[in-house]
Amino acid sequence: MKRFISLNKCVTVAIILVFASVCIGQDFPYPPTEGQIRIVSWNIEKLGQREPLRTSQQLSDLAQRMLTFEAAIFALQEIFTPSKLETIRSHMGSSWRAYCGGEEYAFLYDETKVELLSANAITNLSNPPYTVYPYDSRRPITVVFRPIGGVWPFRLIDIHCATGQTGSQEGTWLRSKVIEYLEDGGETDQIIILGDYNAWPGKPLFDELVEGNILSTLPHENGDNTSSHLDTTWWPADWFCVTEALKDRVPKRSTFVIRWEHYGETNVEFEATYSDHLPVFADLAVDISFATENGSIENVNNGSRYDHFRHAILEAQEGDLIVAAPGIYSNFDNLDFKGKQLTLRSIDPNDPAVVAATVISSDSLNAVVTFSGGEDSNSVLSGFTITGGLNGIYCYDASPTITNCIIKSNYEAGMFLYGGSNPKIYQCNIIANAGSGIELPDQIFGRRRERNYPEISNCIVAANGLYGIAEGLPTITNCTICDNIEGGISNSSATLTNSIVYFNGDGSVAAQITGDEVTITYSDVQGIGQDGGNIDADPLFADKTNGDYHLMSQAGRWDPYSQLWIKDPLTSPCIDVGSPDSDCFWEPFSNGGCINMGAYGGTQQASRSLIDGKIGWEDFETRDFSSFNWELSGDADWEVVSDEHNSGNSCAKSGLIFDNQTSSLELTLNCAAGNISFYYKVSSERLFDKLIFFIDGLEQGQWSYEQDWTRVTFPVEAGSRVFKWDYVKDESESSGQDSAWLDDIVFPLN
């Protein structure tokens, strides 16, 4: 059997029950304290059949009396005329709702305080235990509520027993039902049984319920456990029983009986209008902690750990950072930021392997992730794979930041933006969703139209079942929108720059982009022509069949499978032809001084450029010295390492040498007149241990001490030239890392 709440959880969940002295008259009932909701159980005694029948005024008075309790939920017994219950509900206000379980039971609840998750009458009784009582219709009802703004669901079972005594069949049956619910697991291990038990004065309630510590009865704090009925010689009415998981976390376990004298009335006056039973209430704490000892989700700001994202979000403060370890997080409802400005990310959003291994999935017809609380750019989601929902991400009137995510295989859109949502979306792969990749429908209010203006940059939107991007007014920069079944960009007033829109739909122009007031500059769009810096040419993707949309390059492109820079037989026409106003600072050397088109343009994975048609540089991304005929000499060979590179993932490092030793790296090339440039780094004894650079045996420069990556340039004459780098040590002492490094060498090849 699943335990009720894991003991390693630092849970402050409790039924915090009222035990203070009670003021008479207008001060009673005192309100629940902050972070609590009040649950009331009340047999209102044959509503609709009571003689004399309650008048309309009395029903209104009853509703007003119930409002004074400041409750969130009423569990009611002896409901025989639902229309009378509806009259009471209507007098309580527009926020009140009713769930009526046949002729006997009902729940009234305030939807501003709780939401009803599920409800049903328990009718699957093999031997109904109520036939001994005159009313055969006494089938208990069970509901699952969740506090508004909370994440902790709880189950209530409303029951009216024929005789709530030890040895009765009701007790045995109730215990079996509780065990059944607990064994089902889920988030409803917190169970409360409440109702009219009809236990004789001075007699215990069901031993069957408390056997094996399954449930505990909460005593009436202000009574002797025999006098919750108006006639103290008669049976006490309503009680609360809770699962052990709750009892263990209640420092003061009690329920409270509301008596007629609290209103300055006599029992006769109270009974005439309200009931011959007294209501009993308990206050349920909802300001709870869901922290766990070893949860895989951590709030970095306060060190708390959690098993579920929405628990972590609920307890987070504005500005907190929440980090999730790799794993599959099956979202039992919906991950909702609740309007909070916080960052939720994987352990490394820049590592594709981490992003692929940190999965938020949903098995429900909800969005996997929701932003609907007015979130702005300070609400950040980064580094996850989001899959399996109706939509991957749903935004309503929200403008969060969404980065480095894979949004795939959702039942409709990968992202659904509505109600004036303007998120910033960058470096995301939005792929293989059954609907469109991103849908941005307008919201219409009479003559008013609310539109969506997202900023989408460095994203791949591909292989979606409908369109890549549908509707709205997106600003699309450096995106690759390809291979979508129906089309690329549909019915949209998009602004498109440095992007590739190709191979969508049937390949026609209409299948690539449709919409009013579309602005396209410096992009490769199938069939569009050459205006505005645009081109129309096969972008030469590396392997689009398998989802690799890097651009082919004879100079080198990043291969995500081998994690190496490799060289292709062809070079994409989309390299170095983006907008001259766009920043290409992060593109690896050599980048030709102009940004690439497509999703990797402007990033460290941008495909490299040819220099004057020549492959004239060494970046050591082959992780060896195979690109040129390098000669290694001296007392220890240079090596290729991956821990100190200037760009890419590798560089060359001098060998491990000692006093009066040298490590040399040499290359002979046929050069054109021009310049050689390279990046160096040193960490050595000042002046005496140094990196020295030679051309044809002539020293060009030397560097020592602590110098981070620095680029230098030297003139080269045409002809065969010998380039040599020596790391040299003198006869004594060492300092720093005692090494030199080289990266991104550019040669003026002939």
Side-chain angles (χ1 to χ4, degrees):
M1 179 189 306
K2 180 178 176 181
R3 296 312 300 161
F4 312 136
I5 299 179
S6 301
L7 294 180
N8 66 346
K9 294 186 179 181
C10 302
V11 182
T12 60
V13 174
I15 299 182
I16 307 299
L17 298 143
V18 186
F19 52 88
S21 60
V22 179
C23 298
I24 305 300
Q26 294 302 313
D27 293 330
F28 182 82
Y30 44 85
T33 62
E34 184 178 357
Q36 298 175 349
I37 58 172
R38 175 162 294 169
I39 302 172
V40 176
S41 181
W42 196 359
N43 183 326
I44 57 177
E45 208 252 326
K46 300 183 183 178
L47 184 64
Q49 293 185 351
R50 187 177 189 269
E51 295 293 343
L53 294 176
R54 292 181 175 96
T55 65
S56 296
Q57 184 59 51
Q58 285 177 322
L59 292 174
S60 176
D61 291 344
L62 178 57
Q64 297 308 309
R65 175 60 54 88
M66 294 170 76
L67 288 174
T68 66
F69 299 166
E70 299 193 45
I73 303 167
F74 285 90
L76 304 175
Q77 303 92 43
E78 295 203 21
I79 304 295
F80 291 96
T81 306
S83 62
K84 299 288 186 181
L85 177 69
E86 174 58 25
T87 300
I88 295 172
R89 188 210 62 77
S90 65
H91 285 300
M92 294 180 73
S94 60
S95 67
W96 285 87
R97 298 290 181 266
Y99 174 75
C100 189
E103 295 183 353
E104 174 68 16
Y105 304 97
F107 282 98
L108 286 173
Y109 61 97
D110 185 345
E111 67 176 358
T112 67
K113 297 177 181 178
V114 294
E115 59 178 325
L116 179 64
L117 299 185
S118 65
N120 65 281
I122 305 174
T123 58
N124 58 333
L125 306 181
S126 57
N127 295 298
Y130 303 114
T131 55
V132 298
Y133 204 78
Y135 309 114
D136 293 336
S137 60
R138 292 189 172 187
R139 310 289 189 182
I141 60 174
T142 181
V143 298
V144 179
F145 283 110
R146 181 169 58 205
I148 297 298
V151 296
W152 179 61
F154 57 90
R155 182 184 294 275
L156 301 180
I157 301 175
D158 190 5
I159 190 167
H160 189 179
C161 296
T163 171
Q165 301 294 294
T166 296
S168 69
Q169 56 183 330
E170 289 101 322
T172 302
W173 178 83
L174 270 175
R175 184 175 185 274
S176 69
K177 289 305 294 183
V178 171
I179 291 174
E180 176 186 327
Y181 287 132
L182 293 175
E183 288 179 341
D184 285 343
E187 292 296 311
T188 56
D189 288 342
Q190 294 67 243
I191 299 175
I192 302 168
I193 303 177
L194 70 173
D196 185 351
Y197 287 84
N198 283 313
W200 288 101
K203 300 293 185 180
L205 290 178
F206 302 120
D207 283 346
E208 292 84 359
L209 291 181
V210 300
E211 179 184 345
N213 292 326
I214 299 299
L215 289 137
S216 294
T217 301
L218 303 182
H220 299 151
E221 177 62 25
N222 65 328
D224 60 3
N225 297 342
T226 66
S227 56
S228 62
H229 194 282
L230 295 182
D231 181 352
T232 57
T233 65
W234 191 239
W235 306 344
D238 289 58
W239 294 80
F240 284 76
C241 289
V242 299
T243 46
E244 192 73 10
L246 288 174
K247 170 180 173 288
D248 288 344
R249 291 160 176 82
V250 182
K252 182 70 175 179
R253 297 182 294 277
S254 61
T255 60
F256 202 93
V257 181
I258 302 175
R259 301 181 184 280
W260 57 89
E261 57 262 33
H262 295 140
Y263 295 99
E265 298 172 357
T266 67
N267 62 335
V268 175
E269 290 170 328
F270 189 91
E271 180 179 355
T273 302
Y274 305 115
S275 176
D276 65 350
H277 292 255
L278 295 174
V280 178
F281 73 75
D283 291 333
L284 179 66
V286 295
D287 51 345
I288 60 181
S289 174
F290 292 93
T292 65
E293 183 178 351
N294 299 308
S296 56
I297 301 166
E298 180 183 10
N299 185 315
V300 174
N301 295 75
N302 61 32
S304 297
R305 290 185 171 274
Y306 303 88
D307 293 321
H308 298 290
F309 284 115
R310 60 182 192 167
H311 294 173
I313 292 171
L314 177 69
E315 297 187 356
Q317 302 298 313
E318 298 289 332
D320 279 359
L321 169 63
I322 299 171
V323 178
I328 298 175
Y329 298 90
S330 183
N331 210 12
F332 56 80
D333 186 9
N334 163 284
L335 191 160
D336 194 329
F337 265 62
K338 301 292 185 183
K340 291 187 176 181
Q341 296 183 356
L342 52 85
T343 296
L344 177 61
R345 67 167 174 83
S346 62
I347 58 173
D348 187 357
N350 294 310
D351 185 340
V354 170
V355 175
T358 313
V359 180
I360 308 174
S361 68
S362 176
D363 56 4
S364 67
L365 292 180
N366 293 313
V368 182
V369 179
T370 294
F371 299 92
S372 61
E375 292 88 351
D376 62 16
S377 61
N378 294 306
S379 299
V380 181
L381 180 72
S382 182
F384 294 98
T385 294
I386 299 167
T387 186
L390 183 67
N391 304 120
I393 297 176
Y394 173 80
C395 293
Y396 180 80
D397 189 24
S399 302
T401 300
I402 302 164
T403 76
N404 298 93
C405 289
I406 300 171
I407 305 166
K408 69 174 186 178
S409 302
N410 293 285
Y411 295 113
E412 292 188 357
M415 301 184 68
F416 190 91
L417 313 181
Y418 195 56
S421 293
N422 310 314
K424 294 179 172 62
I425 308 163
Y426 62 92
Q427 293 189 344
C428 290
N429 288 359
I430 306 167
I431 56 176
N433 297 284
S436 296
I438 306 175
E439 293 187 12
L440 304 93
D442 295 345
Q443 186 179 25
I444 307 298
F445 302 93
R447 296 182 179 180
R448 177 185 172 190
R449 181 167 62 165
E450 193 76 62
R451 309 199 73 181
N452 306 285
Y453 297 81
E455 297 178 14
I456 309 169
S457 59
N458 296 106
C459 290
I460 294 172
V461 186
N464 295 288
L466 294 177
Y467 300 97
I469 299 173
E471 303 184 74
L473 291 91
T475 298
I476 304 169
T477 307
N478 278 107
C479 288
T480 297
I481 304 171
C482 295
D483 298 313
N484 297 287
I485 302 302
E486 294 295 327
I489 301 173
S490 173
N491 194 28
S492 173
S493 299
T495 298
L496 191 72
T497 306
N498 299 339
S499 295
I500 300 171
V501 185
Y502 233 86
F503 304 124
N504 295 289
D506 61 6
S508 65
V509 177
Q512 308 313 310
I513 299 180
T514 62
D516 298 330
E517 301 178 5
V518 177
T519 302
I520 307 171
T521 57
Y522 295 99
S523 294
D524 183 13
V525 180
Q526 190 170 11
I528 200 171
Q530 307 294 319
D531 295 337
N534 300 308
I535 64 173
D536 175 10
D538 185 333
L540 296 180
F541 294 124
D543 185 6
K544 77 184 187 70
T545 301
N546 292 306
D548 184 0
Y549 290 93
H550 288 83
L551 301 176
M552 295 176 67
S553 173
Q554 294 166 277
R557 65 165 169 86
W558 179 249
D559 178 43
Y561 306 108
S562 66
Q563 296 288 292
L564 294 172
W565 287 89
I566 62 176
K567 294 169 182 175
D568 297 302
L570 300 172
T571 295
S572 168
C574 298
I575 294 175
D576 291 340
V577 291
S579 170
D581 296 328
S582 298
D583 188 1
C584 62
F585 176 80
W586 291 107
E587 292 192 359
F589 196 82
S590 168
N591 57 42
C594 189
I595 197 169
N596 294 353
M597 294 176 179
Y600 299 103
T603 75
Q604 293 182 349
Q605 291 189 26
S607 297
R608 289 174 164 169
S609 312
L610 291 173
I611 299 177
D612 296 328
K614 303 291 184 178
I615 304 172
W617 64 90
E618 171 67 272
D619 54 16
F620 306 104
E621 293 302 321
T622 58
R623 300 186 182 178
D624 56 25
F625 293 100
S626 61
S627 293
F628 294 91
N629 294 320
W630 289 100
E631 296 181 23
L632 309 177
S633 60
D635 298 289
D637 289 345
W638 283 65
E639 59 181 335
V640 176
V641 298
S642 59
D643 56 347
E644 296 284 353
H645 48 81
N646 173 62
S647 68
N649 294 278
S650 303
C651 69
K653 179 184 179 181
S654 60
L656 177 61
I657 58 175
F658 303 97
D659 295 343
N660 288 320
Q661 291 186 336
T662 301
S663 178
S664 299
L665 183 65
E666 184 175 321
L667 180 64
T668 300
L669 289 175
N670 184 20
C671 295
N675 294 304
I676 183 175
S677 66
F678 58 86
Y679 284 83
Y680 73 86
K681 175 182 175 178
V682 291
S683 176
S684 70
E685 181 187 6
R686 186 192 292 268
L687 299 178
F688 299 104
D689 298 343
K690 64 192 74 173
L691 174 67
I692 307 173
F693 173 57
F694 303 89
I695 300 179
D696 295 336
L698 299 177
E699 181 179 326
Q700 306 294 312
Q702 59 175 258
W703 306 274
S704 66
Y705 198 45
E706 299 294 333
Q707 297 193 44
D708 204 354
W709 287 108
T710 304
R711 183 171 182 260
V712 291
T713 302
F714 300 95
V716 175
E717 295 180 358
S720 179
R721 297 287 170 253
V722 179
F723 304 102
K724 186 179 183 183
W725 290 263
D726 286 342
Y727 181 65
V728 180
K729 287 183 62 62
D730 73 345
E731 68 275 5
S732 64
E733 298 188 17
S734 297
S735 181
Q737 298 183 58
D738 206 12
S739 298
W741 296 264
L742 292 172
D743 204 358
D744 296 326
I745 308 170
V746 179
F747 305 105
L749 295 184
N750 188 359

